[in-house]
Amino acid sequence: MPKKTEEKFRFPIPEDGAWQMMQKKDTNDPDAFFKAEEEGELSVDVYQNEKEIVIKTAIAGVSRKDLEISLNHDLLTIRGNRKLEEDVDENNYFHQECYWGKFSRSLILPIEVEKHKTKAQLKNGVLTIILPKITKDAGIIKVKEIE
């Protein structure tokens, strides 16, 4: 009879407050999931006005070609890579706070948006994503009477 393996689960609470379940099936190293390549998380501002949801994040040092933004249903994901332009030995740092390397942030949007009208711009190191809200009339099909 094959030996039954026990599944390991972790329940971290990300800064955005959403619960996520991470599953690891390797019983030999239940922490293997957390030993994967480190990835930074962006700080974001999310607000709305009458017509749009606006997301802003500071991503100084990231070029447009090293940035990917995707919108799948109500999940917006920003991914990128902030590349260090010089190689500095770790022992030569007096102080280091800046994050260099891959980063990402996923946000669940609070309301529906018009995906095909979404715009993003990168100006002075600030990424701004503008997501037009779906209006009350969106999706309503008007019936035309033919005589």
Side-chain angles (χ1 to χ4, degrees):
M1 180 177 235
K3 183 180 177 184
K4 184 178 178 182
T5 59
E6 186 178 283
E7 294 182 343
K8 307 279 184 196
F9 296 93
R10 296 272 175 119
F11 295 92
I13 305 172
E15 287 181 15
D16 65 0
W19 283 89
Q20 294 178 353
M21 180 176 79
M22 291 188 258
Q23 179 179 359
K24 178 64 186 154
K25 292 184 179 183
D26 182 1
T27 57
N28 296 327
D29 187 2
D31 293 323
F33 181 89
F34 297 99
K35 293 177 183 173
E37 183 180 346
E38 187 176 325
E39 189 174 271
E41 183 176 76
L42 289 174
S43 297
V44 295
D45 289 343
V46 182
Y47 62 92
Q48 69 177 337
N49 59 36
E50 191 176 307
K51 297 180 180 184
E52 308 159 328
I53 293 177
V54 180
I55 300 171
K56 290 191 176 207
T57 182
I59 55 169
V62 178
S63 73
R64 194 174 74 160
K65 67 179 182 358
D66 293 323
L67 195 58
E68 176 187 295
I69 303 167
S70 62
L71 181 56
N72 187 8
H73 300 288
D74 64 347
L75 183 68
L76 177 87
T77 301
I78 304 166
R79 285 193 166 86
N81 192 1
R82 183 176 289 120
K83 297 176 182 173
L84 187 58
E85 294 180 5
E86 57 187 300
D87 190 23
V88 180
D89 186 302
E90 197 174 298
N91 297 320
N92 290 332
Y93 277 98
F94 291 108
H95 190 74
Q96 185 179 19
E97 291 182 356
C98 297
Y99 180 82
W100 302 97
K102 293 180 180 180
F103 60 84
S104 70
R105 182 67 185 260
S106 292
L107 303 161
I108 295 175
L109 300 175
I111 58 173
E112 288 187 77
V113 296
E114 295 191 50
K115 182 178 181 176
H116 64 282
K117 292 184 179 179
T118 297
K119 296 178 185 173
Q121 69 178 20
L122 183 58
K123 182 179 179 183
N124 298 328
V126 176
L127 174 66
T128 303
I129 303 169
I130 299 170
L131 303 122
K133 294 178 182 179
I134 290 182
T135 62
K136 292 178 184 177
D137 296 339
I140 296 175
I141 299 170
K142 295 185 179 184
V143 178
K144 180 179 175 182
E145 188 172 334
I146 300 175
E147 295 178 26

